[in-house]
Amino acid sequence: MAKSIDTLEAYSYQFNVKIVGMPATTQNETSDQTVALCLRLFEALGVEEVSLNDIDIAHRMPSRSASNRSNAIVCKFTRRLAKGKVMAARRRLENLEASQLGFPDDFDISHINLYDHLTPRLQELLFESMKYKNVNNFKFCWAKNGAVCLRKTETSTVIKLTSLDELNELRGSR
């Protein structure tokens, strides 16, 4: 039963992008304002074919820690193809300017980043895998399509993990 719930949860998360570091437009930002902000970001990244029809909802997620940064945004798409276009364009974040998002030029947007929205189980697996990566001198660790991937070098084989049990097996084999 737990496996079925994990599968359903993972499927629903496939439509989501998590945007961190995006300043809030107002103190009590509405969902409509958050969607508009997401659309401005996507357009600024050059993904002009994503429209309001491609977004189911976007909202701020309360932060677990007290910080001065704005709460992260979870943007849920109606089509994974639209999400894929946005994720492919995230490499252009470094060229982003505050004015493209409607903020003053001196506004700090350097912390904006886009991630796949991970289920709590996958988030824990990624966290533990990152620790493993650092201890064992792996060069790469990332999450994609419901799995965590590790790679020692640019040319080595990718190790795909879907559970903490698999990570523990890997720990035991090294």
Side-chain angles (χ1 to χ4, degrees), residues 103-174:
F103 297 116
D105 286 333
D106 61 345
F107 218 77
D108 182 18
I109 61 165
S110 63
H111 299 289
I112 295 176
N113 215 329
L114 282 83
Y115 301 99
D116 282 316
H117 188 212
L118 305 178
T119 64
R121 181 193 60 78
L122 195 57
Q123 187 118 22
E124 180 184 11
L125 178 58
L126 179 62
F127 178 76
E128 292 298 324
S129 297
M130 285 292 214
K131 290 194 300 192
Y132 178 85
K133 168 195 164 263
N134 294 333
V135 167
N136 294 283
N137 299 313
F138 275 65
K139 189 163 185 179
F140 305 101
C141 180
W142 70 96
K144 186 173 184 175
N145 297 331
V148 171
C149 301
L150 285 162
R151 196 153 90 182
K152 189 93 170 168
T153 66
E154 286 91 351
T155 58
S156 62
T157 304
V158 173
I159 301 168
K160 190 173 179 180
L161 305 170
T162 58
S163 70
L164 283 171
D165 290 340
E166 291 175 0
L167 178 61
N168 288 333
E169 283 179 34
L170 186 61
R171 284 180 176 138
S173 70
R174 296 215 176 243

Side-chain angles (χ1 to χ4, degrees), residues 45-121:
L45 294 175
V47 189
E48 295 166 5
E49 60 270 15
V50 173
S51 71
L52 184 59
N53 293 330
D54 294 314
I55 297 176
D56 183 16
I57 186 108
H59 55 88
R60 298 276 178 174
M61 294 293 295
S63 176
R64 284 186 242 166
S65 63
S67 72
N68 294 337
R69 292 197 179 144
S70 295
N71 291 339
I73 295 171
V74 173
C75 181
K76 182 173 185 156
F77 289 88
T78 57
R79 298 178 318 124
R80 284 187 310 214
L81 290 171
K83 176 197 171 191
K85 289 177 183 177
V86 168
M87 294 304 283
R90 70 182 171 172
R91 293 182 188 102
R92 295 185 217 132
L93 280 167
E94 62 191 33
N95 301 326
L96 198 61
E97 295 179 16
S99 61
Q100 293 174 288
L101 300 174
F103 297 116
D105 286 333
D106 61 345
F107 218 77
D108 182 18
I109 61 165
S110 63
H111 299 289
I112 295 176
N113 215 329
L114 282 83
Y115 301 99
D116 282 316
H117 188 212
L118 305 178
T119 64
R121 181 193 60 78

Side-chain angles (χ1 to χ4, degrees), residues 9-63:
E9 187 178 45
Y11 181 78
S12 106
Y13 273 62
Q14 286 183 41
F15 291 86
N16 300 348
V17 168
K18 185 175 180 181
I19 305 167
V20 297
M22 177 67 82
T25 54
T26 64
Q27 187 170 353
N28 294 317
E29 191 175 85
T30 67
S31 182
D32 288 340
Q33 290 169 319
T34 308
V35 167
L37 190 55
C38 290
L39 287 171
R40 280 199 305 269
L41 173 63
F42 304 154
E43 185 179 335
L45 294 175
V47 189
E48 295 166 5
E49 60 270 15
V50 173
S51 71
L52 184 59
N53 293 330
D54 294 314
I55 297 176
D56 183 16
I57 186 108
H59 55 88
R60 298 276 178 174
M61 294 293 295
S63 176

